[in-house]
Amino acid sequence: STAEKPILLNNITDAEAFISGAEVVVVGFFQDPESPEVSQFRLAAGRIAEVSFGLSTSPAVLTHYGVAANTVTLFRRVDNDRRDLDMNSKDVDAEKMTRFVRMNELRLVTEYNPVTAIGVMQSSLQLHLLLITDKMSPKHPKRMRKYQAAAELFKGKILFILVDSNLNSNERIVSFFKLKKSQLPALAIFHTPDEQQDVLTLDEVSVERVQDFCNRFLQ
């Protein structure tokens, strides 16, 4: 419930356990728990149900993570990265914080949309694997389970992305890889620095096929 958000992190041990406990977490580092910035932070935490929010006013914790007071930091496991948002600039409010989280919440499998696209482009992982598929298909939950399992195997190496072929905003991705809707589902792998790519159309998503496709490209 929102009453439990954000969770208070009183010491380094609490903070480390909290941060390692999920794919994506957000921690607000503040000096004064009663400040207006903290109330905006609480507001943002209430809006994003599926992300855990923590709050710390402990000087030891702030020093441990090398942050200044009034910083909101998103920690993510997929590329062992973090993103900092400075709350000292006067115009940062719950709205901007929510956008910051939505943009940077990359997961083991990140669903591609105009907001997450920005975070995807900024990720330190330069290899992106896309599963381009119809989310409305009855086979979708099973495909996602297999794709998620494969993502675990390439954690820190390849960013796994889900592209819903039903969204109009994703049509240009389908055409970028020279695919037609009739050929989906398909896997597309893309190396951002030189735009090298490969495509594989498949009837069924299996961990082995995803693994083979990735390994071939990596070699």
Side-chain angles (χ1 to χ4, degrees), residues 52-71:
S52 301
F53 278 67
L55 172 69
S56 189
T57 55
S58 149
V61 174
L62 270 72
T63 305
H64 180 73
Y65 288 102
V67 287
N70 296 342
T71 303

Side-chain angles (χ1 to χ4, degrees), residues 23-24 76-81 104-110 123 125 154-160:
E23 279 188 55
V24 176
R76 61 188 189 210
R77 197 183 292 168
V78 63
D79 52 3
N80 273 329
D81 210 346
N104 291 295
E105 58 166 332
L106 303 184
R107 296 166 181 274
L108 268 179
V109 174
T110 300
S123 168
L125 296 180
F154 293 96
K155 198 162 52 192
K157 288 198 195 107
I158 299 175
L159 196 60
F160 274 57

Side-chain angles (χ1 to χ4, degrees), residues 1-90:
S1 77
T2 42
E4 288 153 15
K5 291 179 85 166
I7 289 165
L8 222 51
L9 309 170
N10 296 315
N11 53 52
I12 294 169
T13 311
D14 285 357
E16 285 181 337
F18 178 77
I19 289 165
S20 63
E23 279 188 55
V24 176
V25 299
V26 177
V27 180
F29 299 100
F30 297 99
Q31 233 162 353
D32 173 13
E34 302 305 316
S35 69
E37 289 88 0
V38 173
S39 55
Q40 290 295 312
F41 180 69
R42 289 182 189 279
L43 210 56
R47 286 182 188 176
I48 306 176
E50 68 286 6
V51 177
S52 301
F53 278 67
L55 172 69
S56 189
T57 55
S58 149
V61 174
L62 270 72
T63 305
H64 180 73
Y65 288 102
V67 287
N70 296 342
T71 303
V72 171
T73 301
L74 179 140
F75 296 89
R76 61 188 189 210
R77 197 183 292 168
V78 63
D79 52 3
N80 273 329
D81 210 346
R82 60 182 262 188
R83 291 281 183 264
D84 292 347
L85 177 68
D86 183 3
M87 293 291 291
N88 288 312
S89 57
K90 291 284 165 270

